[in-house]
Amino acid sequence: MTDPAAMTDPAALAADLVGDRAGGWDLAGRLPDDVVRAFAAAGVLCPQVPARFGGLGLSSVDTGELTAHVGALCSSTRSLMTSQGMVAWAVSRLGSPEQHAEHLPRLAGGTTAAVAFSEAGAGSDLSGMAARIEVDGDKVVVSGAKVWVTGAAYADVVLVFGRYGDGAAAVLVPTSAAGVTVTRVPDPLGCRAAGHADVLLDEVRLPADHVLGGAGLPVEWLVTPVLTYGRLSVAWGCVGILRACLAATATHSRTRRQGGRPLAEHQLVAEHLAELHVAEQAATRLCEHASRCWDESTPELVSAAVLAKHHGAVAAARGASRAVQVMASAGARDGHPVARAHRDAKLMELIEGSNEISTLLLAERALAVWA
Amino acid sequence: MTTTAETRDADDVRRNLLEFLKQRAKAEVEPDFDLFAGGLVSSLFALELVVHLENAFGVTVGGEDLKIDNFRTVDAMTALVVRSGGARG
Ligand SMILES: Cc1cc2nc3c(=O)[nH]c(=O)nc-3n(C[C@H](O)[C@H](O)[C@H](O)COP(=O)(O)OP(=O)(O)OC[C@H]3O[C@@H](n4cnc5c(N)ncnc54)[C@H](O)[C@@H]3O)c2cc1C
């Protein structure tokens, strides 16, 4: 931790680092390296790492508000928070005390990280993963082809999930290791500067202690804690998207006049504003609930995170569409906050459990509680 | 929880877990019933079980303890809690 301002106010640091540049990053499809490095060095990408490991030590509720804040500024940067936070949480949850001591200070202090589950043949159904992690004496050999890994283009380390014996394991793979090839996904629809990349692992040999604990668990057991962090982070990011949409549309509809009055005084426009307000409030409350469950370690956190993510993503996608409607031509160019929101939010309906997969999980929950 | 690791014994843990299964999975099972073979443990429920163990008994279930056999039955989870210092044996 070198920057005392970030220690006291990571939100101010984020506002300062992003400024009004997110639109340009969206158009360029890149975040400047120095910005990514500054976020990582300040521990902002994984704010829940405890202070004893050099992290900001924020609660889930406070991390959530910070995530929404960054999400309102730039969903690409927020995506990096989601990925790095998942890796740090995987290390906390699955790692041994030695692995905590080794990796958490790095993740909170400048090392950038991404998380790789998906493959060409394994999207919604991760049991189809073909990547392999094989023990060879005091080494492991990692082989496979991961796709769409958020942040991989900026990452020093990728947490790779793969088959391990009869089950699965997660292994920390430095992108500098021999046999690792990172290739950017060209022209993503949204979160365009988030550095999505395919990661090819060609017999990458690593010390066996790069494999996190829990190795051999069934794949769903291993990924669920990590995805739960990701879901909550995406959910808060969607709150941010809705806040950015509210800020843009409220200002615009008060100042722009058509038909002799401000847009906001046309009732059909006012309805869009009201619905955006409802969407942001409902999404925020579900996120707060899930984060409180997280902070209190109640088992409900698992389904509460799915609920918050599902509602948040759907509400953000609908809300962003409304925002484009209200802004009309004023928001109809790439780079504009509502144009970004529109594309970014749509992708939130696909990741960390698509709308369909989340729906199935929530139906399971409904049956468990009400049947 | 009003009990502590000092006052709690394995039977308390077993009772608590059977009740949790009843509440959360609508399942009344014997302590040695194989929850996986019985299809009772979904991916979400697996994590809920881990969080419940940690929260109810003040233990940490990480790294090495994350083995499927530690969660296969109520008896196995009870043994894990005792080993982790969450209750007297
Ligand atoms: C912006 C972005 C960032 C990403 N970041 C990462 C990352 O960091 N790490 C990573 O590992 N992956 C990442 N991914 C990949 C992402 O996790 C997958 O895209 C996602 O899991 C869906 O898989 P798929 O694209 O293969 O779609 P498919 O699984 O092929 O699904 C296609 C459609 O079918 C539906 N469907 C599938 N199965 C069922 C079912 N059983 N019941 C009903 N409907 C079903 C889906 O909901 C979807 O609508 C990212 C993807 C995107 C777009």
Side-chain angles (χ1 to χ4, degrees):
Chain A
M1 200 73 213
T2 50
D3 185 348
M7 196 66 168
T8 50
D9 190 2
L13 177 78
D16 185 49
L17 284 172
V18 177
D20 60 1
R21 298 194 286 163
W25 299 340
D26 179 62
L27 289 169
R30 308 242 156 166
L31 299 174
D33 281 334
D34 59 322
V35 171
V36 176
R37 289 288 154 202
F39 269 109
V44 173
L45 299 180
C46 49
Q48 278 171 259
V49 171
R52 69 178 184 284
F53 294 115
L56 297 178
L58 298 192
S59 65
S60 177
V61 170
D62 289 343
T63 296
E65 274 300 337
L66 180 60
T67 306
H69 174 74
V70 174
L73 296 166
C74 174
S75 279
S76 291
T77 307
R78 194 277 306 153
S79 298
L80 299 188
M81 292 181 73
T82 301
S83 295
Q84 180 121 356
M86 283 199 277
V87 174
W89 177 243
V91 170
S92 300
R93 182 80 258 184
L94 303 171
S96 63
E98 295 74 28
Q99 288 172 326
H100 295 167
E102 183 177 350
H103 299 293
L104 291 177
R106 291 185 193 161
L107 290 168
T111 296
T112 48
V115 56
F117 310 101
S118 307
E119 301 176 7
S124 300
D125 179 8
L126 289 177
S127 69
M129 273 188 331
R132 308 197 71 85
I133 302 167
E134 280 160 337
V135 179
D136 180 13
D138 60 354
K139 302 270 186 224
V140 284
V141 182
V142 189
S143 304
K146 296 295 182 180
V147 298
W148 272 99
V149 181
T150 299
Y154 309 115
D156 299 317
V157 56
V158 180
L159 182 66
V160 174
F161 286 77
R163 294 180 172 282
Y164 180 93
D166 294 339
V171 58
L172 287 162
V173 180
T175 49
S176 59
V180 180
T181 312
V182 176
T183 311
R184 274 183 184 264
V185 174
D187 307 317
L189 171 67
C191 301
R192 282 184 178 162
H196 309 109
D198 296 344
V199 179
L200 187 68
L201 304 138
D202 182 11
E203 304 212 353
V204 182
R205 292 178 72 80
L206 300 165
D209 66 3
H210 283 224
V211 178
L212 298 183
L217 281 175
V219 64
E220 323 83 66
W221 277 61
L222 205 65
V223 301
T224 302
V226 186
L227 286 175
T228 298
Y229 183 100
R231 284 168 183 148
L232 198 40
S233 179
V234 166
W236 279 107
C238 288
V239 167
I241 289 175
L242 285 164
R243 290 180 186 170
C245 287
L246 271 168
T249 51
T251 309
H252 184 69
S253 60
R254 176 161 283 167
T255 48
R256 163 119 175 128
R257 298 174 71 88
Q258 284 293 283
R261 59 181 74 165
L263 292 177
E265 289 177 22
H266 294 291
Q267 288 188 348
L268 294 176
V269 175
E271 185 190 16
H272 288 308
L273 294 173
E275 291 296 341
L276 270 167
H277 175 57
V278 171
E280 184 273 332
Q281 283 293 298
T284 302
R285 300 305 153 232
L286 287 177
C287 284
E288 284 172 349
H289 175 68
S291 278
R292 271 197 297 273
C293 288
W294 183 293
D295 288 332
E296 291 161 12
S297 292
T298 59
E300 196 197 334
L301 83 89
V302 189
S303 59
V306 178
L307 178 53
K309 188 272 165 185
H310 183 58
H311 176 81
V314 171
R318 288 211 190 118
S321 172
R322 283 185 189 280
V324 175
Q325 197 66 29
V326 172
M327 301 298 295
S329 63
R333 292 191 60 208
D334 277 348
H336 188 281
V338 302
R340 281 190 280 127
H342 187 52
R343 291 183 279 101
D344 298 344
K346 181 62 213 174
L347 297 189
M348 299 305 106
E349 294 193 302
L350 308 181
I351 63 167
E352 250 68 79
S354 63
N355 283 358
E356 290 75 15
I357 297 300
S358 304
T359 299
L360 295 174
L361 293 172
L362 291 168
E364 207 179 89
R365 174 73 186 171
L367 288 169
V369 176
W370 295 98
Chain B
M1 287 303 291
T2 49
T3 56
T4 66
E6 286 70 45
T7 60
R8 192 185 301 129
D9 67 15
D11 277 336
D12 297 326
V13 175
R14 207 172 282 116
R15 258 195 306 280
N16 175 296
L17 291 176
L18 291 171
E19 181 60 28
F20 184 71
L21 283 167
K22 199 163 121 192
Q23 297 268 322
R24 177 58 186 79
K26 302 275 188 283
E28 299 215 35
V29 298
E30 295 300 319
D32 61 353
F33 178 78
D34 186 328
L35 300 167
F36 298 102
L40 279 180
V41 184
S42 68
S43 58
L44 295 195
F45 187 47
L47 180 56
E48 289 177 19
L49 268 176
V50 173
V51 176
H52 176 71
L53 289 184
E54 295 191 331
N55 193 27
F57 308 116
V59 295
T60 303
V61 183
E64 291 294 288
D65 300 321
L66 290 167
K67 288 198 190 72
I68 199 101
D69 284 338
N70 282 337
F71 298 88
R72 195 172 286 287
T73 63
V74 166
D75 281 339
M77 286 187 270
T78 304
L80 174 65
V81 170
V82 171
R83 267 204 315 283
S84 309
R88 291 182 284 115

